Each structure stands twice: as structure tokens, then as C-alpha cells.
Amino acid sequence: MPYNRSEVIVRDGLHELHAGPDVLDSPRYNHDMAPTQVAERSWNKWHIAALWVGMAICVPTYTLGGVLTAYFGLSVGEALATILLANLIVLIPLTLNAFPGTKYGIPFPVLLRSSFGILGSNVPCLIRAVVACGWFGIQTMFGGLAIHLFLGSLFEGWKALGSTGEVIGFMVFWTANLWVVIRGAESIKWLETLSAPLLLLVGVGLLMWAMPHVSMTELLSQPAKRPEGEGVTKYFLAGLTAMVGFWATLSLNIPDFSRYARSQKDQIIGQVIGLPVTMFLFASLGVVMTAASAALVGETLSDPVSLIGHIQSPVWVALAMALIVVATLSTNTAANIVSPTNDFQNLAPRLINRTRAVLITGLVGLALMAHELLKKLGWIVSNVSLESVYSNWLLGYSSLLGPIAGIMVVDYFIVKKQQLDLAGLYRDDYYPAYNVAGFVAFGIPVVLTLVALTTGVMTWFYDYGWFTGSALGGVIYFACAGQRHRSPVPLARPSL
């Protein structure tokens, strides 16, 4: 029998909602957005670590060292140190924003209802969703290329398709991604847990292949590509901001995953084990492989898919491409589809369920990559490169996402003191429709970023956008909301 009024039970510090008609009949609720029950929170620290291994081992991570040396003027050693430090820094908002997801079992959009309002939460959600859809399209492009090279290594006739085969591979990979997420969280957990050891083996295999052809001493002693006599500080900080921006998106929507964690300890340890070490080692592998590529295949290649495609053995190419498909699939499903799926549901939970939201995500990602796909088909001619698109996104979007991270942390830990009305997050009568404090705290850093971009004044505010945005957003939010929030909600009833 349903409860007349929703009730919250506490089990070992985890809050569980027993929804009554007040929530079940609300337009802000559907089954997929509902808080997870304690029994559904089955991810231990190794599942969380495997999630990060699966997300971190991907083509963009492999190219990060090259991005920092080529675009940010850092030496190889400076670039690798920057990557490690950036991922240690981003662990802070990741673990903090994961706390409410684990405690209350709620996804990212529902948590945002506390700081931006029941309806206002849709604004930051859609900003996050568009970024994820763009990355989904980019990763699907890499996955499609891997499928094309895999089939080409098996069937001579497939090679004749050329770029058309890449487009076909894109659509096959696109379909596989959507299928995994439609099947739900357990499907994602199974994929990440299975793929993590395979991906680590791929890294070891590539390193063994490359090491005889590269001198680490010579590689680390290569001078930085910046003007002679220039100090490292400004280049390091700009690169650090870009690398923090790499996972700035996940630092927001980490509750989408931490809502399945068994405990706060599991989500913290799992993230510490899985993220910084994996990112550092795989980015290092990319630096080594790029340096060795000239000796291995006769030309310098920073893309692992293209590098492996030059191997003469069809069997090894097929095996490597199959594993790259798995790597890209594990990254794409978790990092780039789960969040927009929840974000789009938040617009109209009664109309948009998980399956429909996944399809919307897929269609938006396809639309954002239409330009590149049409180029490959030869239907249009353009000089815009895919690499320049995602390299620019790293810095630009971190400026927009930083304030949201700061607002979320301040709202939950300082303003609300880790006390949320769980049922109230799914109704229209407790939290405001629009929280003015959230929009002021978000809007001011964004305006300053636009001023820096368009006028050249305060360029440092944009260059170090994630740090400046998150700090300023958090401070402004506390100033606006700190003294005006509602009284803490009554304590939930402990389970018997």
C-alpha cells in the first residue's frame, strides 16, 4: 500500500525515500529520476575505481600530453606534472559533489533543484547536457574510426569504402552506446568492470611495443616550445586550467553515479584510486607512443587509432581496434550519455523517460557531428578540424562550468549543512521555482568571462576560468543565500 505522505528512512547514514501520492503524482518525478533505494546502492570502491579507469582510458586522454606541449608551451615533464596535479585538484569537487548523491540517492539535476530552484535547475542542466552531447559525438567519431579499421583489417573490400566506412562505423558505434545506457545503471557497471582490466592490459602492451624505440631521458630533456627566456608559470597555470576543465563536467554530475555507491567511503576511495593515477599513466603512455611512432610506423602520430592502423599484421590490428572500441564505449556511455539523459528528463519528467532522453542525447550528438560526417562523405569541404574543436572546448567550457561547481559545494555543505528535504526536491511546494541566489552567483562570473573574451580586459579571468569561476560563484552564492535559506529539514526517521 502506498504511503499517504512520502516518508524518508535512514539506513546507516543513507536516506531512502518511500514515495507517497505527494511525490508520485508530482510533475517533477518519474521512476528513472527517483532516489535510489538503499538496496540499489551496490557499487563498492572497486566498481567506482573501474568506472574511472573505463572513462579515463580514451583517445582524448592519450593526446593530452601532446596538447599541453604543442598548444600550451610546456615541456614533456611539465605537461605530465600538470596532468597529475590537475586530476588531484579535480578530485576535490568530485568527492564533495558526490556526497549528496550517495547520502540521498539523487541524480545531478535533482540536486541542482536545491541551489537553482525546481524549474531553474534546467538552465545549468542544459549547459551541461550540450557539452556532454558534443563530447559524445567526438568520442563516437573515434569509436567509428576504430570499427572501420577493425573491419578493414578483416575484409579487404571494406578498406575500399574509405571515409564512407568511417561514417558507417560511426552509426554502428552510436547505436551501441545508446543501447548500453537504455539498459540502465547495472549494464554500465558491468561494462566498466569488465573493460577496466582489459584496458590496463592494452596500455601495458602498447608500452612494451614502444619502449625499445624511445629514450625517456631524451624525451624528458626536450625543451619546451615557448619563447626563449619565458617563465613557466603562466603557461603552467593555463594548462592546469585546461586539464581541470577536462573533468569539470563530471565534477558536476558525479551524483549520477555516486547515487549507486554503497557508502561515502566507497565513493571517496574509488575515485582516489581510479582517477589521478589512470589519467597520469595513460597520458604518459600517449607521450611515449607519440615519440616512438616515427620509429614504429615511419611518421609521427599522436592519435592511437591511426598509429595502430599502420601495423602490418591484420590480426594485431583487429585485436587492438576491438579493445579501442571497448575503451571508447566505456568512456562514452558513462561520461557523455548518462548526464544528458538525466538532464533532458529534468525538463519534463512525466513526458521524457530514460529511453526517450537517451534518444534525444543521441540525436543532439549526431547533429553536432553532422559537419564532420558530411566532410567524410565528401558532401561539403571545410578546414575546421575535429581536434581544434575539442581542444578549444577544454578551456572555454570550464569557464562556464566552474561557477556551477562552486555553487553546488557551498549550497550543500555550508548553506544547507548537508540537510535536504528529499521529498521536497520532487514537489513544487518546498524549494522555489527559481533560486535567484543561484542565478546571480552563476551569472556574474559568466559576464566577467564574456567581458574578458570580447574586450581583452581581465584576460586572466578567462585563462584561469575554472578556478576563478568556481571560487567567485561559491563566494557570491554564500553572500546571497547564506542568511536567507530555510530552516534545516526535520531529521528523517531511522530504520528499525
Side-chain angles (χ1 to χ4, degrees):
M1 293 294 291
Y3 293 86
N4 291 325
R5 186 81 175 171
S6 296
E7 187 176 14
V8 176
I9 305 295
V10 180
R11 303 178 189 274
D12 298 323
L14 305 180
H15 290 228
E16 181 176 84
L17 178 68
H18 293 260
D22 59 321
V23 166
L24 295 174
D25 296 337
S26 170
R28 313 301 164 206
Y29 175 91
N30 71 18
H31 175 73
D32 297 318
M33 298 279 285
T36 52
Q37 299 295 291
V38 171
E40 297 175 293
R41 303 179 204 181
S42 59
W43 293 29
N44 61 31
K45 58 181 178 292
W46 300 115
H47 293 127
I48 302 292
L51 172 73
W52 277 109
V53 171
M55 289 195 293
I57 296 182
C58 59
V59 174
T61 301
Y62 180 100
T63 64
L64 286 181
V67 169
L68 288 174
T69 55
Y71 292 101
F72 291 90
L74 299 177
S75 68
V76 171
E78 292 165 352
L80 295 179
T82 300
I83 292 168
L84 180 60
L85 180 59
N87 285 282
L88 290 173
I89 290 172
V90 85
L91 269 178
I92 298 171
L94 274 166
T95 53
L96 291 177
N97 282 330
F99 265 77
T102 301
K103 180 176 180 178
Y104 291 100
I106 52 177
F108 167 64
V110 174
L111 175 59
L112 278 184
R113 294 173 182 179
S114 171
S115 53
F116 283 86
I118 299 295
L119 298 178
S121 61
N122 287 305
V123 174
C125 279
L126 290 178
I127 292 173
R128 170 66 181 98
V130 170
V131 179
C133 289
W135 278 106
F136 165 58
I138 291 168
Q139 291 277 12
T140 303
M141 196 69 70
F142 287 126
L145 174 60
I147 289 176
H148 168 64
L149 293 174
F150 171 76
L151 294 174
S153 68
L154 299 178
F155 309 105
E156 283 296 324
W158 190 270
K159 292 181 180 178
L161 293 174
S163 296
T164 301
E166 294 181 33
V167 175
I168 296 172
F170 177 96
M171 295 309 303
V172 171
F173 192 72
W174 181 88
T175 302
N177 278 266
L178 302 190
W179 179 78
V180 169
V181 180
I182 285 174
R183 287 175 58 87
E186 284 300 305
S187 177
I188 295 172
K189 183 177 80 171
W190 175 85
L191 173 64
E192 302 297 337
T193 304
L194 174 68
S195 64
L198 293 176
L199 301 181
L200 293 173
L201 286 175
V202 171
V204 172
L206 288 174
L207 190 61
M208 292 175 64
W209 180 41
M211 284 307 293
H213 301 278
V214 65
S215 167
M216 290 303 297
T217 302
E218 292 180 6
L219 185 60
L220 293 173
S221 64
Q222 291 178 0
K225 297 177 181 178
R226 56 178 179 263
E228 189 175 350
E230 285 271 8
V232 69
T233 304
K234 69 176 183 179
Y235 296 93
F236 170 75
L237 291 176
L240 185 69
T241 301
M243 293 305 100
V244 170
F246 191 84
W247 289 122
T249 50
L250 263 295
S251 72
L252 302 183
N253 75 284
I254 190 64
D256 290 334
F257 302 102
S258 67
R259 64 194 294 230
Y260 298 103
R262 294 193 308 186
S263 67
Q264 301 292 3
K265 182 179 178 181
D266 281 302
Q267 68 92 356
I268 294 171
I269 294 176
Q271 294 198 86
V272 170
I273 293 173
L275 174 60
V277 175
T278 305
M279 286 289 292
F280 175 76
L281 292 179
F282 201 67
S284 301
L285 174 66
V287 171
V288 172
M289 293 299 299
T290 301
S293 59
L296 292 169
V297 300
E299 60 179 300
T300 300
L301 295 171
S302 59
D303 172 10
V305 180
S306 300
L307 175 62
I308 295 171
H310 281 69
I311 300 175
Q312 298 302 311
S313 169
V315 174
W316 283 110
V317 171
L319 177 61
M321 289 304 159
L323 292 173
I324 284 178
V325 169
V326 172
T328 311
L329 182 65
S330 65
T331 298
N332 223 10
T333 52
N336 301 321
I337 305 181
V338 170
S339 176
T341 293
N342 289 335
D343 297 337
F344 288 132
Q345 286 186 81
N346 195 58
L347 288 169
R350 288 298 186 188
L351 299 177
I352 306 175
N353 60 14
R354 181 173 61 214
T355 299
R356 291 175 180 173
V358 170
L359 294 176
I360 292 172
T361 298
L363 291 173
V364 174
L366 181 62
L368 291 174
M369 287 296 106
H371 176 271
E372 190 71 16
L373 293 172
L374 293 176
K375 275 177 57 179
K376 290 183 179 297
L377 291 172
W379 295 358
I380 63 173
V381 178
S382 171
N383 293 323
V384 178
S385 70
L386 188 64
E387 290 79 7
S388 66
V389 171
Y390 79 73
S391 295
N392 290 334
W393 274 25
L394 288 179
L395 188 58
Y397 269 97
S398 69
S399 300
L400 294 179
L401 298 175
I404 301 174
I407 291 167
M408 290 173 66
V409 170
V410 170
D411 178 71
Y412 181 70
F413 285 97
I414 300 177
V415 175
K416 304 296 171 49
K417 297 179 172 54
Q418 302 185 62
Q419 296 297 321
L420 300 176
D421 187 305
L422 187 54
L425 290 170
Y426 292 89
R427 303 195 309 259
D428 289 326
D429 60 354
Y430 189 85
Y431 294 95
Y434 296 91
N435 185 358
V436 175
F439 282 95
V440 171
F442 174 66
I444 291 176
V446 168
V447 169
L448 291 177
T449 298
L450 295 176
V451 169
L453 279 172
T454 56
T455 68
V457 177
M458 294 196 318
T459 54
W460 56 269
F461 194 88
Y462 170 75
D463 291 339
Y464 312 130
W466 190 87
F467 296 101
T468 54
S470 59
L472 185 59
V475 169
I476 294 174
Y477 185 80
F478 178 73
C480 294
Q483 304 302 319
R484 297 190 297 109
H485 69 283
R486 300 185 67 162
S487 300
V489 298
L491 292 176
R493 181 169 68 86
S495 61
L496 298 177

